């Protein structure tokens, strides 16, 4: 579990993806890899999610493919069976968290307040998603939460943009940022994978500068 979280932390950015067509899995994975970010959180918001996780994991074995919006233990099991390397949920669901820990699945639950963080800590988890980041107070909130809980590492997601990405990542408690800005629905509809690649390269350039 720790190894996967370390790998995510090294990536610094996690593209959050909503895929409606199974056929998009391969070209999207290719674009992200060529853009320099072999990583994706495929959200369980579409029928295609599970197949897309499987295709990306099988055809791009070096890619760090995880499952997002995991709301049930059944989805967590299906995702891991399909090849997901980590599980992300938008909120703190103790049933899902307990199940993932028992099965040794890397789980990143969502939090946005002190009570959620204490729930995570009670399960020994110190790597959490901060969601929805901008609507929950953004970086100021993460800084405030880091005072009583200095052991926490946050993955803010929700409202992260190329403009605010750098500011979030500059704070030492922010392990990585997640977001959909590199894989917008319009781009998938237009099959514009070149633009996905360009936005990915841009994001990496931002964090290197
Ligand atoms: C998520 O699924 O984690 C968020 O919806 C991503 O939010 P964004 O679209 O603002 O990046």
């Amino acid at each position: 579990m720790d190894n996967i979280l370390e790998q995510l932390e090294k990536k610094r950015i996690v593209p959050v993806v909503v895929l409606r067509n199974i056929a998009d899995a391969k070209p999207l994975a290719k674009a992200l890899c060529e853009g320099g970010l072999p990583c994706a959180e495929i959200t369980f918001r579409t029928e295609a999610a599970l197949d897309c996780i499987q295709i990306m994991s099988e055809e791009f074995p070096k890619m760090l493919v995880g499952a997002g919006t995991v709301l049930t233990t059944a989805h967590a099991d299906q995702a891991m069976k399909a090849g997901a390397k980590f599980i992300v949920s938008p909120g703190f669901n103790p049933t899902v968290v307990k199940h993932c820990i028992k099965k040794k699945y890397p789980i990143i639950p969502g939090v946005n307040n002190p009570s959620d963080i204490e729930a995570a800590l009670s399960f020994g988890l110190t790597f959490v998603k901060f969601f929805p980041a901008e609507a929950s107070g953004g970086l100021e909130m993460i800084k405030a939460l880091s005072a009583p809980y200095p052991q926490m590492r946050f993955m803010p997601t929700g409202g992260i943009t190329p403009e605010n990405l750098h500011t979030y990542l500059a704070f030492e408690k922010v392990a990585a940022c997640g977001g959909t800005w590199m894989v917008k629905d319009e781009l998938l509809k237009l099959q514009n994978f070149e633009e996905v690649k360009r936005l990915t390269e841009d994001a990496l350039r931002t964090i290197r500068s």
Side-chain angles (χ1 to χ4, degrees), residues 38 76 94 125 130:
L125 300 178
F130 178 65

Side-chain angles (χ1 to χ4, degrees), residues 51-69:
D51 286 319
C52 291
I53 290 173
Q54 185 149 12
I55 292 165
M56 284 193 185
S57 310
E58 276 173 16
E59 308 220 7
F60 298 82
K62 291 204 177 119
M63 218 177 149
L64 200 55
V65 179
T69 323

